Amino acid sequence: MKIQGKMFIWLAVFILVMAIVYGWWSKEPAGTTALFLAFGLSVMIGFYLAFTAKRVDAGAQDDKEADVADDAGELGFFSPHSWQPLSLAAGGALAFMGVVFGWWLLYFSLPILAFGLWGWVFEYYRGENQNQ
């Protein structure tokens, strides 16, 4: 995990150099701003990964002589049957169409988004999956 933070920091340095060169050469504000924002995001991710790498135990990816099996095991819990991402996607699509066609579409998309988010957060607090 220690190498991941360093990779993002080096990526941030590269993006910063490219943002300066691009801004000087093209004199185009939108692309230059996007590159500087990408630099900021890379710094934030790299700092977070480097900051947390000091506080966690070394993983198998940090050991140069580790096998693939050393990193095996449970990765987490992933809901195999949730329908809530579908309602979130529909509400999100409708909300982004509201930017194109008219802000009035947000009146229809925000309840769908709220329903999907509420259902996704609380899907294991009720019903047959309550104690999983």
Side-chain angles (χ1 to χ4, degrees), residues 1-4 57-64 66-67 70-71:
M1 185 141 165
K2 296 178 193 293
I3 189 67
Q4 295 166 350
D57 295 332
Q61 66 267 24
D62 294 325
D63 186 10
K64 292 186 180 183
D67 294 327
D70 293 340
D71 206 22

Side-chain angles (χ1 to χ4, degrees), residues 57-94:
D57 295 332
Q61 66 267 24
D62 294 325
D63 186 10
K64 292 186 180 183
E65 299 192 14
D67 294 327
V68 174
D70 293 340
D71 206 22
E74 186 175 331
L75 297 176
F77 176 74
F78 302 99
S79 183
H81 60 278
S82 178
W83 285 88
Q84 303 307 324
L86 183 63
S87 63
L88 285 172
L94 197 60

